[in-house]
Amino acid sequence: MTSPNEMQASQRPFFEIASSDFARLTAHIDCHDIDGKTILVSGATGFFGAWILALFEWLRKTRNMQFRVLAISRDPQSFKRKHPWVADAEWLQWIVGDIQDFVFPEQSVDYVIHAATDTSAAAGRSPALLLNSIVRGTERILACAKACGAKRVLLVSSGGAYGGQSVDTPRLLESSRNAPSTMEVGSAYGEGKRVMELLGAIHAHENACEVVIARCFAFVGAGLPLDGHFAIGNFIRDALTQDQIVIRGDGKGVRSYLYAADLAVWLNHLLLNGRNRGIYNVGSDHEVTIAELARQVIATLAPAKTVIVEGASNSPGAGNRYIPSIDEARSELGLDVWTALPQAILNTALWSSKNS
């Protein structure tokens, strides 16, 4: 296993990690209809966006493909300082602006990836603003897709659109009729994503454009915030910097994590090959409890350290679940969980030790 000191010595930059990942996943990467195309990407400087751009950069370097990416961002300069590998990318053109009012590009667009949503805890504390930003941002991106003649749009939605998962439901299915409660202000994010999906269906119905929905769950990889509300990010941070990982609750909650490189490959497949007006869960179905996750992080990064579960209880009963079924993506598109969780944790730590 790798110790924190060894981690510091072997820390690696973002694109070096991503390139190694994509080389490992090369047999699963579909780029049959990217060459010569123009792709508009919103949320280009977020966690998802960085990995999407990294995949495009890797394709340019290894496949000698010619395409153009138009990336929407409020602050591309900040992103370029963190990611110097895009600083001089000739294939990348920035559109500076907010997703709700950005200026449409003058050139035509073939594909659109809409991945712009604020998922921070701070955003959740302003539910009306969050809901409005999701809906208005989607309206704006779809209007842009229409004006620029886009033929396919990938809308990055969320498993939050299901509104929760009962403990006796092993995995959430795309056919599930679950929905967030309209009387809970915490439903703003999930309801916003449902409206996003409906707007996408209307756009596909009214225009010569195919729309695909990616309902995304939980992920890990370089660029994931280590000081936010993501348990796995906090665990990796603590394994690198603290004497122990402390879980305030009972640790019984059940989650699963798809590695970011796998995620980027999935999203690219859905953009090119997803069924029109199809909904696909995007995530891992390899479940782990929060307590088991913390122990997995410790075992991978710092086996001499310990995990403390402050709310540990011997009482029966399962914790809350957030696990997708990915059978739809497997059977239709051949997608799968290709990167094991220990490798995903290690790669995230190799980057975060450099940037923490």
Side-chain angles (χ1 to χ4, degrees), residues 110-132:
D110 298 290
Y111 301 133
V112 174
I113 302 175
H114 179 38
T117 303
D118 190 347
T119 58
S120 68
R125 290 192 288 270
S126 301
L129 290 176
L130 177 59
L131 177 62
N132 286 335

Side-chain angles (χ1 to χ4, degrees), residues 110-114 141-142 145 150-155 203 209-213 271:
D110 298 290
Y111 301 133
V112 174
I113 302 175
H114 179 38
I141 204 78
L142 291 176
K151 299 303 181 185
R152 284 183 69 84
V153 173
L154 176 66
L155 296 180
H203 181 84
C209 180
E210 297 185 341
V211 175
V212 183
I213 306 298
L271 175 68

Side-chain angles (χ1 to χ4, degrees), residues 48 64-65 101 103 127 153 165 190 221 232 275 300 306 316 340 354:
F48 281 31
N64 195 30
M65 304 183 74
D101 58 13
V103 177
V153 173
Q165 181 174 0
I232 195 166
R275 182 174 16 95
T300 303
T306 58
K354 175 180 173 61

